[in-house]
Amino acid sequence: MESDEVNKDLFRDLVSAFYFIKNDVMDIEILARAFELRILKATGYELNFSQCVKCRKKISMSNNIDSILYGPICKECEKLNSIYISNPTYNTLKFLNNFGMDKINRIIVSQSSKLELYKILSFIISQNYTRKPKSLEMFNYLREYNDQ
């Protein structure tokens, strides 16, 4: 994506995020993770949860995300250079990745899964961008403001 290229889907997701924030519809942490996934997708780093990133075998569940190829690893493949992920966090990540912003306000996520999601997505973002986009930091400021 070039710097002057228009991305209507990402803009629509940003407007939806502001709507959710304004109306206090959902957890800002989950909203931030969903928006991070949208930015990854818009810039060519979308995670694919339908198959193992190593052998391309179809899978529905995984406890490891490859830290180089950024996708799930099946039970048969080697887990070298992978990040462990719990079942609930994997399902949450898959849900946030596969469904639109209009559906994610229905999800309830445990504090431990929120922390896992933050660590995984922060790692992927830090590996692919020279710096974290300012738009993503905005959600942290909003969360701190809401906590006061």
Side-chain angles (χ1 to χ4, degrees), residues 37-89:
L37 285 166
R38 298 310 182 281
I39 288 179
L40 287 167
K41 179 180 182 179
T43 56
Y45 297 104
E46 181 177 18
L47 282 75
N48 181 356
F49 291 95
S50 62
Q51 60 189 14
C52 172
V53 293
K54 294 194 175 194
C55 70
R56 304 285 183 226
K57 186 173 85 173
K58 285 193 168 224
I59 59 172
S60 60
M61 192 63 190
S62 176
N63 288 114
N64 295 87
I65 301 292
D66 190 279
S67 64
I68 298 168
L69 301 171
Y70 308 123
I73 303 171
C74 70
K75 292 178 182 175
E76 289 80 33
C77 288
E78 187 177 8
K79 310 299 186 276
L80 186 67
N81 297 322
S82 71
I83 303 165
Y84 175 81
I85 185 170
S86 68
N87 289 348
T89 303

Side-chain angles (χ1 to χ4, degrees), residues 91-107:
N91 287 329
T92 302
L93 191 58
K94 187 175 175 180
F95 181 85
L96 293 176
N97 189 66
N98 294 340
F99 288 94
M101 294 289 274
D102 58 328
K103 305 267 189 297
I104 62 168
N105 62 329
R106 300 176 186 145
I107 192 169

Side-chain angles (χ1 to χ4, degrees), residues 90-147:
Y90 178 86
N91 287 329
T92 302
L93 191 58
K94 187 175 175 180
F95 181 85
L96 293 176
N97 189 66
N98 294 340
F99 288 94
M101 294 289 274
D102 58 328
K103 305 267 189 297
I104 62 168
N105 62 329
R106 300 176 186 145
I107 192 169
I108 298 172
V109 181
S110 71
Q111 202 59 38
S112 61
S113 283
K114 287 180 191 178
L115 183 59
E116 266 188 283
L117 286 169
Y118 176 78
K119 288 178 181 178
I120 290 165
L121 291 174
S122 292
F123 174 78
I124 292 171
I125 289 168
S126 70
Q127 294 298 306
N128 290 297
Y129 306 112
T130 54
R131 60 180 195 182
K132 191 171 185 174
K134 290 179 183 178
S135 58
L136 300 181
E137 289 298 321
M138 171 195 64
F139 288 108
N140 289 332
Y141 297 128
L142 290 170
R143 187 185 74 230
E144 289 172 10
Y145 177 76
N146 281 348
D147 290 344

